[in-house]
Amino acid sequence: MKIKFQYIALISVLALVNGAFAQKKDENLGTEVVNVVKPYTPTVSDAFKVKETPVMEDEDNTQKETIEYNIFSFPVASTFTPSKGRAAGVDRPKRETLYNNYATLGVGNYGTINAELFVTENLNRNEYVGGMLRHLSSQGNIDNVRLDSKYYNTSIDLTYGNRQKDYSWNTDLGYQNQIYNWYGLPLEYQDFDNETIAGIDPQQTYHSFYIGGKIAAEDSFFRDASAQYKRFWDAFGSAENRFFVKPSLDIDVMDEKIKVDFIADYVGGTLADDTEFPNEYSNFNLGIQPSILYQKDDLSVQLGAGLFYTMGKQGDEKDNKFHVYPHVKASYKVVGDLMIAYAGAEGTLRQNSYADFVSQNPFISPSQIVTPTDQKYDIYVGLKGKLANTVAYNIRGSYMNEDNKSLFLNFNPSVLPGPGADLNGFQYGNSFSVIYDQVQTVSFFGELKADFSKSVTFGINGTFNSYSMENQAEAWNLPQIKVGATLDVDINEKWYAGTNVFFVGDRKDLVLPDNTFVDSGAPFNTEVVTLKSYFDLNAHVGYKYSERLTGFLKLNNIANQDYQRWVNYNVQGFQFIVGASYKFNF
């Protein structure tokens, strides 16, 4: 309807305008006669009838059309490849390859050969086997020595281990062969002709066989236990058996921990002598060492005692004793880890054996008395800690009282032959005996260790001892002063080097200054001699050719000191060994 009215209005306006223009243009048309026949009277039938239904376009009444959107996807080829992320500024070091086995061989002057071979292999996740072969030998050739001074030392060790979740155990098997010579003839004190020297056979051979094992448990009152059987014998018929077992327990009671150590140690054997009558001996030590550990804040105290019963036998004589020893230790952190004060009083019954004596002095005679050492107590106080993050120190003072402490003595009356006797190679004043005495020792010890960096480490230590003897005139072959120092440097990735030096003070020994050793009826005219102090400077340098192969050079007794470790036994002078070590895996 709205549109219709607009049309009608427009037509009417146009008509009026047209009529206006027409009248204005034809104002002087003249006159004309018009005859009116009948006036027009419109009727309803003459009206125009609209036949269409108008479309309503009112916006308020128009319904919104529903619109649907569809996405038509299709693959598009792309050559873009994103780069992997990198950690900025981080240099990742090369991972070092670990090798389970190695072989080393070195040769040097004096005909020295040093060889080692170590192999190990995991059988599976829990089991492994391993072996170690060592050899060190020298042809001797020591200056001013009239007898053969060569030595050999070869050993092989085998092991089998088993690691489980709650426990682990291993068993060991080994053999060692050693050859030494009693080359220390007392030429300074005795007069030997060439014929006598040519008839001396100074060689001694030692053999050792052992089998043992150890077991350790986790999360159990049973901590661990170790056991070993060892057979030791020499070329003169001396033989020794030793067996020990040492179980240990950890028991938690309330908030305290109780430790109990058990010891069963047997040694027995037969030592040959010049009279061809064997010297039989045996010592069986049974012991228990219970202790309780108390810890609170910076204080730690362990209180306990050692109870031992020994059954000894020398030939037909028996000697059974019961011993009680203190077992007390305490420590207190005065200034955290920077300063820790500690003190204690400990004693034990220490088993001795022929094999142990040989390991300390291979030039002893095969006729010895073997008895345990009764360490009644060792009372000590000390201070340890750190001077800086990389410098650690330890100082200690102690007073020890030992009964039947073993000492080595050159004067060996047990091997003095009678007139016209056929002498063995150790019966020319060139062997040592073991004697025992009650000894009180006052000792002061100091140590300093420094790790200046990952590449440089340094350490120095010193000990001063003062001895008081019950029966003997001197503490034979025991020095008062010992000092040692070490320095190790990794120069770069390829080169490394190190050095160590040690100093040993004067020692005393007892010798026969004349030929009375060949006549048992003559009085013994003994003389106390002083072995001069000595120092020994050693160094080594190595070059890592690759991860597997490393070359090395070792220098010993660089100052070429002609000193005596034991009386009449000069050591080798300047020594060098050059060799290589190779790592590998199977």
Side-chain angles (χ1 to χ4, degrees):
M1 295 179 63
K2 182 178 179 180
I3 297 176
K4 180 179 179 181
F5 292 151
Q6 292 175 350
Y7 288 164
I8 295 175
L10 181 60
I11 294 173
S12 298
V13 172
L14 293 176
L16 291 175
V17 172
N18 185 41
F21 280 101
Q23 291 179 2
K24 185 176 181 180
K25 183 178 181 181
D26 298 328
E27 289 180 353
N28 299 319
L29 294 178
T31 61
E32 186 177 354
V33 178
V34 178
N35 294 320
V36 178
V37 179
K38 184 180 179 180
Y40 175 68
T41 304
T43 63
V44 176
S45 60
D46 295 331
F48 177 76
K49 185 177 181 180
V50 180
K51 296 183 180 180
E52 293 180 343
T53 300
V55 178
M56 303 298 293
E57 296 182 355
D58 193 340
E59 293 179 358
D60 296 334
N61 298 326
T62 303
Q63 296 182 355
K64 295 182 179 181
E65 183 178 0
T66 302
I67 301 176
E68 296 181 357
Y69 297 93
N70 295 320
I71 299 176
F72 299 96
S73 61
F74 56 91
V76 178
S78 176
T79 59
F80 172 73
T81 302
S83 61
K84 296 181 180 180
R86 298 179 59 189
V90 178
D91 295 331
R92 190 174 182 180
K94 183 180 179 181
R95 184 176 180 181
E96 184 178 358
T97 304
L98 299 179
Y99 297 95
N100 296 329
N101 318 297
Y102 74 88
T104 299
L105 178 62
V107 295
N109 61 339
Y110 293 99
T112 302
I113 299 177
N114 186 12
E116 290 185 5
L117 175 63
F118 176 80
V119 294
T120 181
E121 185 70 16
N122 293 323
L123 302 179
N124 51 50
R125 183 177 180 182
N126 300 322
E127 298 174 287
Y128 65 91
V129 294
M132 184 75 179
L133 176 64
R134 297 185 181 95
H135 175 80
L136 177 62
S137 64
S138 174
Q139 298 304 313
N141 301 322
I142 301 175
D143 294 337
N144 302 320
V145 171
R146 303 288 299 274
L147 297 178
D148 192 354
S149 58
K150 65 182 178 182
Y151 67 87
Y152 296 84
N153 191 341
T154 303
S155 65
I156 182 171
D157 301 277
L158 305 175
T159 184
Y160 166 82
N162 192 306
R163 297 181 293 258
Q164 300 295 331
K165 180 180 179 181
D166 298 327
Y167 67 93
S168 62
W169 65 275
N170 67 278
T171 182
D172 303 315
L173 180 70
Y175 171 77
Q176 183 179 24
N177 174 249
Q178 303 173 77
I179 298 177
Y180 289 95
N181 285 274
W182 289 291
Y183 65 86
L185 282 178
L187 299 176
E188 184 178 354
Y189 312 104
Q190 304 286 348
D191 184 17
F192 298 95
D193 55 40
N194 293 332
E195 183 179 356
T196 300
I197 294 176
I200 298 176
D201 181 9
Q203 182 171 300
Q204 167 68 298
T205 303
Y206 300 108
H207 304 271
S208 177
F209 168 81
Y210 76 90
I211 183 172
K214 183 176 181 179
I215 184 171
E218 299 289 341
D219 300 327
S220 173
F221 72 92
F222 174 77
R223 186 174 72 225
D224 57 43
S226 59
Q228 186 185 85
Y229 167 75
K230 185 175 184 178
R231 172 74 173 178
F232 184 82
W233 68 100
D234 66 15
F236 288 84
S238 299
E240 179 182 76
N241 297 305
R242 185 175 183 183
F243 173 78
F244 68 81
V245 57
K246 299 178 180 180
S248 300
L249 307 179
D250 279 347
I251 304 173
D252 293 328
V253 179
M254 303 296 290
D255 295 332
E256 309 300 336
K257 177 176 289 188
I258 298 177
K259 295 183 177 181
V260 184
D261 296 329
F262 298 92
I263 300 174
D265 193 343
Y266 169 83
V267 62
T270 302
L271 298 178
D273 59 22
D274 61 296
T275 61
E276 299 183 359
F277 291 100
N279 180 17
E280 297 182 354
Y281 67 93
S282 66
N283 298 291
F284 186 30
N285 300 337
L286 292 173
I288 179 173
Q289 292 179 311
S291 63
I292 182 170
L293 179 62
Y294 172 80
Q295 291 179 321
K296 184 178 181 181
D297 299 331
D298 295 330
L299 178 64
S300 176
V301 179
Q302 184 174 350
L303 300 174
L307 308 176
F308 283 82
Y309 184 75
T310 179
M311 293 171 282
K313 182 179 179 181
Q314 297 289 338
D316 296 330
E317 298 182 4
K318 296 181 180 180
D319 186 15
N320 300 338
K321 292 182 180 180
F322 181 76
H323 306 271
V324 179
Y325 301 103
H327 190 71
V328 180
K329 295 187 291 185
S331 65
Y332 180 74
K333 295 183 178 180
V334 182
V335 187
D337 293 334
L338 300 179
M339 183 180 295
I340 302 174
Y342 63 93
E346 300 180 63
T348 188
L349 186 64
R350 188 169 60 249
Q351 186 75 282
N352 292 315
S353 68
Y354 180 38
D356 292 339
F357 292 151
V358 169
S359 65
Q360 299 174 53
N361 184 353
F363 308 112
I364 66 173
S365 68
S367 302
Q368 303 299 333
I369 297 175
V370 180
T371 188
T373 296
D374 178 13
Q375 181 182 306
K376 297 182 180 299
Y377 52 81
D378 180 13
I379 302 174
Y380 58 87
V381 293
L383 198 66
K384 62 182 179 179
K386 295 181 179 180
L387 299 176
N389 290 334
T390 59
V391 181
Y393 67 92
N394 183 16
I395 55 176
R396 165 178 166 153
S398 66
Y399 175 74
M400 183 186 299
N401 186 2
E402 297 173 286
D403 194 8
N404 288 330
K405 180 178 178 63
S406 59
L407 304 169
F408 294 105
L409 189 65
N410 179 254
F411 171 62
N412 195 353
S414 64
V415 300
L416 296 181
D422 185 14
L423 303 183
N424 292 311
F426 57 88
Q427 293 178 316
Y428 292 85
N430 55 341
S431 64
F432 295 82
S433 62
V434 178
I435 63 172
Y436 300 87
D437 197 3
Q438 184 170 347
V439 183
Q440 290 82 37
T441 306
V442 177
S443 178
F444 296 96
F445 170 80
E447 183 180 33
L448 190 68
K449 293 182 178 180
D451 295 332
F452 296 112
S453 67
K454 293 182 179 180
S455 302
V456 182
T457 60
F458 172 77
I460 185 172
N461 64 80
T463 304
F464 172 80
N465 297 313
S466 177
Y467 306 100
S468 298
M469 315 299 295
E470 182 73 17
N471 300 310
Q472 299 296 319
E474 299 286 346
W476 307 118
N477 284 292
L478 294 181
Q480 285 190 331
I481 300 176
K482 284 185 177 182
V483 179
T486 60
L487 176 65
D488 292 293
V489 180
D490 290 333
I491 302 173
N492 52 38
E493 293 183 356
K494 293 291 187 180
W495 290 91
Y496 66 90
T499 182
N500 71 82
V501 59
F502 57 88
F503 172 84
V504 177
D506 295 344
R507 290 136 292 135
K508 304 287 186 178
D509 207 332
L510 194 65
V511 300
L512 289 172
D514 51 40
N515 289 334
T516 55
F517 75 95
V518 300
D519 187 356
S520 60
F524 297 139
N525 185 19
T526 59
E527 179 181 343
V528 176
V529 297
T530 300
L531 280 75
K532 295 181 180 180
S533 61
Y534 64 89
F535 76 94
D536 201 325
L537 176 62
N538 309 300
H540 66 271
V541 62
Y543 176 73
K544 298 179 181 179
Y545 179 79
S546 65
E547 289 186 346
R548 294 176 178 266
L549 184 61
T550 300
F552 62 84
L553 172 65
K554 295 181 180 180
L555 306 176
N556 297 328
N557 197 4
I558 297 176
N560 196 28
Q561 296 291 298
D562 184 19
Y563 63 86
Q564 295 182 359
R565 173 64 182 88
W566 306 100
V567 66
N568 304 323
Y569 280 84
N570 297 335
V571 301
Q572 294 176 339
F574 171 74
Q575 308 155 47
F576 71 85
I577 297 178
V578 59
S581 178
Y582 183 75
K583 303 175 184 178
F584 60 96
N585 287 328
F586 291 117

